[in-house]
Amino acid sequence: MQHVGLIHRGFSSYGNTDFRNAPMWHLPIEMKRRMPEMPLLCDPSHICGRRDTLVAVAQQALNLGFDGNMIESHIDPDNAWSDAKQQITPEVLRDLIEGLVWRHETTNEREFLTALASFREQINQLDAEVMQLLGRRMAVAEKIGQYKKENDITILQTARWNEVLERAIRQGQSVGLSTDFVEQYLAAVHLESIGHQNKVMEG
């Protein structure tokens, strides 16, 4: 029987500057959710494309429950025939490996499990509240769609969308949310809102 595993090497992305191949962690996380029995390795060398960010990527992979890392090493990295910028010496590789922290997916410690259950219940409650608010938001969007229909107004209002996005980014930053997250979140909400309004238009 053949043993099959996955190697996360990152993905090409337009405009990416931090990595040679953006890690896009949500993709291997989803794969791990769907196929938890399949071994999953990370290739920080291919993701980073340079030496100075190898440690951070390798540690994040372990933090996410990857089964290990594969890292390129060369006795004389600067003179390697390929990918010289991402190669590290065996000595540096040893130090990197020794500095990594391996974590467990769970534990039997009662105190930890009790505290974790409490935090997760808070998350569940907050998620439920967010879903309720999103439902109410879409209900308002449908009313707006009806109003636009009656007045022959287009669904997409670019100026209004820019206003919403700019305000949300400022609000998100004030509570510790990254701009990328706010933009992706609002893009999904906006698309759902357009869908609700379009149904009203067609109805």
Side-chain angles (χ1 to χ4, degrees), residues 33-182:
R33 183 188 70 81
R34 295 188 183 190
M35 308 184 73
E37 74 286 350
M38 185 170 289
L40 180 60
L41 300 177
C42 182
D43 184 349
S45 301
H46 196 264
I47 289 174
C48 296
R50 64 181 202 262
R51 304 179 187 119
D52 61 311
T53 53
L54 288 175
V55 174
V57 171
Q59 184 61 63
Q60 184 160 355
L62 297 184
N63 292 345
L64 292 173
F66 279 60
D67 296 292
N69 290 290
M70 50 185 297
I71 298 172
E72 296 180 29
S73 180
H74 192 283
I75 195 170
D76 186 7
D78 291 333
N79 291 310
W81 287 6
S82 64
D83 298 326
K85 292 182 179 179
Q86 69 195 41
Q87 306 270 5
I88 56 176
T89 65
E91 292 77 17
V92 172
L93 176 62
R94 177 200 61 206
D95 294 340
L96 186 156
I97 293 174
E98 290 178 352
L100 293 176
V101 178
W102 288 81
R103 294 183 166 88
H104 306 286
E105 188 168 343
T106 187
T107 178
N108 292 323
E109 292 291 334
R110 182 179 298 276
E111 183 178 351
F112 170 83
L113 295 174
T114 300
L116 186 61
S118 175
F119 290 136
R120 285 176 171 170
E121 185 54 38
Q122 292 178 47
I123 290 291
N124 291 342
Q125 180 61 36
L126 290 168
D127 285 344
E129 292 177 14
V130 169
M131 291 299 108
Q132 290 291 329
L133 288 172
L134 286 173
R136 289 167 55 187
R137 190 188 195 281
M138 295 308 155
V140 174
E142 289 175 3
K143 292 179 180 179
I144 291 174
Q146 183 63 40
Y147 196 62
K148 288 177 179 177
K149 179 180 180 179
E150 294 170 356
N151 290 273
D152 294 325
I153 303 297
T154 59
I155 293 175
L156 182 61
Q157 303 287 313
T158 305
R160 166 61 179 168
W161 170 234
N162 287 333
E163 176 190 332
V164 170
L165 188 59
E166 291 172 3
R167 183 178 64 253
I169 289 174
R170 291 194 302 271
Q171 292 173 336
Q173 290 174 341
S174 70
V175 294
L177 299 178
S178 70
T179 298
D180 285 345
F181 170 77
V182 172

Side-chain angles (χ1 to χ4, degrees), residues 6-11 22-36 38 40-42 47 61 64-66:
L6 297 168
I7 300 176
H8 176 44
R9 309 188 75 208
F11 302 87
M24 297 185 184
W25 295 109
H26 64 285
L27 295 177
I29 288 173
E30 178 62 17
M31 182 60 72
K32 189 172 179 63
R33 183 188 70 81
R34 295 188 183 190
M35 308 184 73
M38 185 170 289
L40 180 60
L41 300 177
C42 182
I47 289 174
L64 292 173
F66 279 60

